[in-house]
C-alpha cells in the first residue's frame, strides 16, 4: 500500500486545498505516511506570495532528490499557486518531479500520478479556470471539531501588489444551499466551529446577483442546531456593508471577531495599491463594528514600505493603528513579486528604511494589543480547547484554546478535574494578559461536547501534520518574519 505526505505552504486557501488533496489520495487508496517515514508520494502545495517561495520549493525538492534516486518508485508532485505561475520551469529546474498541477485542477492529482507512473515521464497539467468546484472533492480534514468551508474561490480585485487573482482566477461563488448543506453535514460529524472562506467574502453573491447574499448566509448559519461558532475570512473594506455588521451582531453563533485588512493608513498609498477605499472609510467600518459589538476583537494586515511610501505615509499607518487598536495583525515588509504591477513601480523604498519602519510598527502594534488584552483581565471567557495552540503547555501544565473573540488563552486545570479533550469547552477567568495571549489561572467549568467526542474517535487515525500559517492572523504570537506582499487569500 503506497503512502503519501502533503506539505502545505501559504494561506488558508492552501490549507483547505491540502485537506482535499489528502481526501483525493486516500480515496484513491493511498494511506498517510507515519511521521518520520519517507512517503512514497510527496505533494507540495505551494504559495507564490512569500518572497522566498521559489527558493524554499527548490530547496525542498533538492533534499528529496537523493531519496528519489534510491527509490525510483517514489513520486513527487507540485501544486498550488507557484505551480500555476511557474508551470513551464519546475520540471526543467527539478526534472525528478513527476507531476505539476495548478490551482484549478487539484482533482486531477491521482490520475496524473498514475499517468506519470505508467508513462515514466513527468505530467504537467495547468488549467486556466476551474473544471469542478473544489468543495465537491473528497476531503481529509485536519480537525474533527473545526472546519473551513469555501463560499467562493478567485478574486475580481486588481490590487497592484497581489498576484493571487492571476493564479486563482476570477471569483466563482457557490450557491448558498450548497454551502449550508456542507456546514450541516460537518456539524452532524461533530464539528462545532466553521470558518467561511473566500478571497473576498463580502463580494459573495456577485455571480447570482444578490448583494446581501453574505449577510443572509451568516444569518442562515445561526439556525443550524449544534453549530456553536461561525467565523469568516477575508473581507474587503470596499464591500463591507452595514447588513453584514447587523448580521454579525444579531446572530449569536457568529463570533465577535473580525479580520479587516488595512494594508496602509495613507490615502496616497492606498490609491497606488488600487485599494478602493480610503482611510476615513476604513475607520468608519471599525467604528460601526465596535458600536454594534463593543467587545469585538479586530485584526488586520499591514504592508510596510510599499513603493513610494514616505515617512508621512508611514506615520498615517501608525495613526490608524493607534485609533483602531487592533487585537492582532499580520505585518509585512513589502517585497517585489514577479507579475505584479508594483514590481516595476518607481520609488522602491530601500530595505533598511523598510526594516526600521517595520520594527516601529511591530512595537506600536504590540503595545496596542497588550493594552486591549489587559482589559480582559478579571473576565470569564469560554475557550474552545484545541490541539497545537500552546507550544509550552507541557512545561506550564496548562491547556490552550481560543476564546469567542479568537484570543489565545492558556489556562490551568485544577487537580482532580478530568482533563478535557480538544473540542470541549472550558469557562475560565483571565488573570494575566500579554501582547499575544491571555492566561487564566482561575478555573470555572468544563463542558464536554460532541466535538470532543469526535476528537476522541479520531485518535485511531494517524497524527496530524504540523500546523501552517493561516491567512487570518490568530490573536497570539506572530510567526517568524517573512518578507511578503500582503498574504494570499487576504484582502
Amino acid at each position: 500500500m503506497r503512502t503519501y505526505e502533503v506539505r502545505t505552504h501559504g494561506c488558508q486557501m492552501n490549507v483547505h486545498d491540502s485537506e482535499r488533496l489528502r481526501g483525493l489520495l486516500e480515496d484513491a487508496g493511498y494511506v498517510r505516511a507515519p511521521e518520520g517515514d519517507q512517503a512514497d508520494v510527496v505533494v507540495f502545495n505551494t504559495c507564490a506570495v512569500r518572497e522566498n517561495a521559489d527558493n524554499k520549493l527548490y530547496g525542498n525538492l533538492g533534499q528529496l532528490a537523493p531519496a528519489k534516486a534510491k527509490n525510483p518508485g517514489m513520486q513527487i508532485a507540485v501544486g498550488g499557486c507557484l505551480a500555476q505561475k511557474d508551470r513551464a520551469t519546475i520540471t526543467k529546474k527539478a526534472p525528478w518531479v513527476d507531476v505539476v498541477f495548478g490551482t484549478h485542477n487539484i482533482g486531477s492529482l491521482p490520475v496524473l500520478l498514475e499517468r506519470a507512473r505508467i508513462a515514466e515521464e513527468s505530467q504537467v497539467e495547468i488549467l486556466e479556470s476551474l473544471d469542478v468546484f473544489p468543495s465537491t472533492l473528497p476531503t481529509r480534514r485536519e480537525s474533527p471539531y473545526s472546519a473551513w468551508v469555501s463560499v467562493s474561490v478567485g478574486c475580481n480585485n486588481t490590487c497592484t501588489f497581489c498576484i493571487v487573482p492571476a493564479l486563482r482566477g476570477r471569483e466563482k461563488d457557490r450557491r448558498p444551499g450548497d454551502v449550508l448543506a456542507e456546514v450541516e453535514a460537518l456539524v452532524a460529524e461533530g464539528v462545532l466551529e466553521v470558518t467561511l472562506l473566500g478571497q473576498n467574502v463580502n463580494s459573495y453573491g456577485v455571480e447570482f446577483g444578490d448583494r446581501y447574499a453574505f449577510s443572509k448566509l451568516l444569518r442562515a448559519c445561526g439556525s443550524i442546531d449544534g453549530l456553536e461558532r461561525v467565523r469568516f475570512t477575508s473581507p474587503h473594506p470596499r464591500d463591507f456593508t452595514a447588513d453584514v455588521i447587523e448580521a454579525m451582531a444579531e446572530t449569536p453563533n457568529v463570533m465577535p471577531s473580525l479580520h479587516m485588512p488595512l494594508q496602509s493608513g495613507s490615502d496616497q498609498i492606498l490609491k497606488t495599491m488600487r485599494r478602493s477605499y480610503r482611510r476615513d472609510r476604513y475607520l468608519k467600518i471599525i467604528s460601526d463594528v465596535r458600536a454594534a459589538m463593543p467587545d469585538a476583537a479586530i485584526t488586520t494586515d499591514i504592508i510596510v514600505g510599499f513603493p513610494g511610501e514616505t515617512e508621512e505615509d508611514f506615520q498615517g499607518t501608525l495613526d490608524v493603528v493607534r485609533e483602531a487598536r487592533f487585537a492582532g495583525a499580520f505585518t509585512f515588509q513589502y517585497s517585489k513579486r514577479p507579475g505584479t504591477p508594483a514590481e516595476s513601480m518607481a520609488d522602491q523604498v530601500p530595505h533598511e528604511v523598510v526594516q526600521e519602519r517595520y520594527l516601529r510598527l511591530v512595537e506600536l502594534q504590540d503595545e496596542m494589543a497588550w493594552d486591549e488584552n489587559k482589559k480582559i483581565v478579571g473576565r470569564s471567557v469560554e475557550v474552545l480547547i484545541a490541539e497545537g495552540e500552546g507550544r509550552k503547555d507541557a512545561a506550564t501544565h496548562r491547556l490552550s484554546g481560543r476564546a469567542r473573540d479568537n484570543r489565545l488563552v492558556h489556562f490551568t486545570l485544577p487537580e482532580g478535574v478530568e482533563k478535557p479533550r480538544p473540542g470541549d469547552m472550558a469557562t475560565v477567568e483571565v488573570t494575566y494578559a500579554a501582547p499575544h495571549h491571555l492566561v487564566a489561572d482561575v478555573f470555572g467549568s468544563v463542558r464536554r461536547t460532541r466535538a470532543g467526542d469526535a476528537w476522541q474517535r479520531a485518535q485511531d487515525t494517524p497524527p496530524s501534520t504540523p500546523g501552517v500559517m493561516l491567512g487570518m492572523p490568530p490573536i497570539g504570537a506572530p510567526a517568524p518574519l517573512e518578507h511578503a506582499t500582503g498574504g494570499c487569500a487576504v484582502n
Side-chain angles (χ1 to χ4, degrees):
M1 190 172 291
R2 287 171 65 75
T3 61
Y4 77 87
E5 176 190 1
V6 178
R7 302 185 187 181
T8 310
H9 304 277
C11 70
Q12 73 272 25
M13 283 288 187
N14 276 18
V15 175
H16 195 29
D17 283 349
S18 288
E19 291 181 331
R20 304 204 180 284
L21 291 171
R22 294 186 186 99
L24 284 160
L25 290 169
E26 293 187 8
D27 202 47
Y30 296 84
V31 296
R32 197 167 189 168
E35 189 171 354
D37 286 6
Q38 179 60 64
D40 298 313
V41 173
V42 179
V43 182
F44 291 92
N45 192 7
T46 63
C47 170
V49 173
R50 304 292 181 187
E51 182 182 28
N52 293 318
D54 307 55
N55 292 338
K56 283 185 177 180
L57 172 64
Y58 293 111
N60 287 328
L61 292 176
Q63 291 174 3
L64 285 179
K68 179 73 182 288
K70 291 179 182 177
N71 178 13
M74 177 183 175
Q75 291 185 294
I76 301 171
V78 178
C81 288
L82 194 61
Q84 189 80 17
K85 181 173 77 74
D86 292 349
R87 62 192 75 182
T89 61
I90 291 174
T91 53
K92 291 181 181 178
K93 292 183 177 180
W96 55 93
V97 169
D98 299 274
V99 170
V100 178
F101 62 103
T103 59
H104 299 307
N105 62 316
I106 62 175
S108 301
L109 177 60
V111 171
L112 293 173
L113 287 168
E114 187 65 8
R115 282 185 197 164
R117 185 186 66 81
I118 294 171
E120 297 185 345
E121 63 180 13
S122 299
Q123 301 293 308
V124 179
E125 181 178 290
I126 306 289
L127 301 185
E128 298 303 329
S129 61
L130 283 178
D131 57 348
V132 61
F133 202 94
S135 291
T136 64
L137 301 174
T139 302
R140 167 63 155 81
R141 296 185 184 272
E142 289 300 285
S143 168
Y145 49 85
S146 184
W148 304 104
V149 176
S150 291
V151 304
S152 63
V153 293
C155 182
N156 295 339
N157 295 316
T158 58
C159 302
T160 55
F161 57 78
C162 187
I163 196 172
V164 171
L167 304 179
R168 291 274 180 181
R170 293 188 62 79
E171 181 175 329
K172 295 189 71 66
D173 296 331
R174 293 176 73 189
R175 302 299 298 187
D178 294 338
V179 176
L180 293 171
E182 182 177 354
V183 174
E184 290 171 348
L186 289 167
V187 172
E189 294 172 3
V191 167
L192 56 75
E193 177 182 68
V194 299
T195 300
L196 304 176
L197 185 61
Q199 237 88 30
N200 178 6
V201 293
N202 292 128
S203 61
Y204 174 70
V206 65
E207 276 207 314
F208 43 87
D210 185 354
R211 64 187 297 264
Y212 300 110
F214 190 65
S215 61
K216 292 176 182 176
L217 188 63
L218 289 177
R219 292 183 186 276
C221 285
S223 64
I224 297 176
D225 187 39
L227 179 60
E228 298 195 27
R229 293 186 172 190
V230 178
R231 306 186 190 279
F232 60 88
T233 191
S234 277
H236 192 296
R238 179 194 67 188
D239 303 307
F240 198 77
T241 49
D243 60 296
V244 173
I245 298 174
E246 292 168 2
M248 292 179 67
E250 295 169 6
T251 309
N253 65 355
V254 176
M255 294 296 94
S257 63
L258 175 68
H259 183 64
M260 181 58 64
L262 169 65
Q263 307 301 11
S264 174
S266 161
D267 283 353
Q268 179 56 48
I269 296 300
L270 288 171
K271 181 179 179 181
T272 307
M273 288 177 168
R274 257 188 237 150
R275 303 287 288 178
S276 47
Y277 57 89
R278 297 297 176 259
R279 167 189 173 134
D280 288 348
R281 158 70 175 155
Y282 184 91
L283 288 171
K284 176 67 162 52
I285 292 172
I286 302 302
S287 176
D288 289 348
V289 169
R290 292 228 164 96
M293 295 169 285
D295 293 329
I298 301 173
T299 57
T300 196
D301 300 327
I302 300 173
I303 300 173
V304 178
F306 191 78
E309 182 187 74
T310 64
E311 178 62 25
E312 182 180 2
D313 293 324
F314 178 65
Q315 286 296 330
T317 296
L318 296 182
D319 289 343
V320 173
V321 170
R322 292 187 186 96
E323 186 167 348
R325 304 187 70 81
F326 299 115
F330 272 158
T331 50
F332 300 97
Q333 297 187 41
Y334 172 77
S335 64
K336 294 181 181 180
R337 297 310 296 145
T340 63
E343 178 193 13
S344 57
M345 286 182 177
D347 300 323
Q348 300 283 331
V349 182
H351 173 69
E352 60 272 17
V353 175
V354 177
Q355 176 71 11
E356 189 272 336
R357 289 176 184 170
Y358 174 83
L359 294 175
R360 277 191 281 158
L361 171 63
V362 170
E363 182 179 12
L364 176 62
Q365 172 53 39
D366 282 353
E367 178 186 335
M368 296 295 102
W370 197 3
D371 285 346
E372 291 301 298
N373 280 356
K374 288 175 184 176
K375 297 175 184 178
I376 314 296
V377 174
R379 295 187 192 176
S380 290
V381 296
E382 183 184 59
V383 178
L384 171 57
I385 300 166
E387 287 183 290
E389 292 279 19
R391 291 175 296 220
K392 299 179 181 178
D393 282 355
T396 60
H397 304 289
R398 290 188 172 110
L399 299 175
S400 299
R402 297 281 168 179
R404 287 171 56 84
D405 61 12
N406 210 33
R407 283 182 165 91
L408 177 62
V409 182
H410 307 296
F411 69 93
T412 303
L413 192 69
E415 290 186 13
V417 175
E418 183 181 1
K419 185 176 180 180
R421 307 154 301 179
D424 287 338
M425 294 284 193
T427 300
V428 295
E429 182 182 313
V430 176
T431 54
Y432 172 80
H436 305 297
H437 68 269
L438 303 170
V439 173
D441 285 329
V442 176
F443 179 78
S445 61
V446 166
R447 175 164 60 88
R448 294 173 73 85
T449 68
R450 292 185 307 108
D453 295 340
W455 178 87
Q456 195 72 55
R457 291 192 299 270
Q459 294 317 289
D460 294 333
T461 62
S464 297
T465 53
V468 298
M469 169 73 78
L470 303 187
M472 180 171 62
I475 304 173
L481 170 66
E482 289 187 82
H483 296 299
T485 59
C488 171
V490 173
N491 284 306

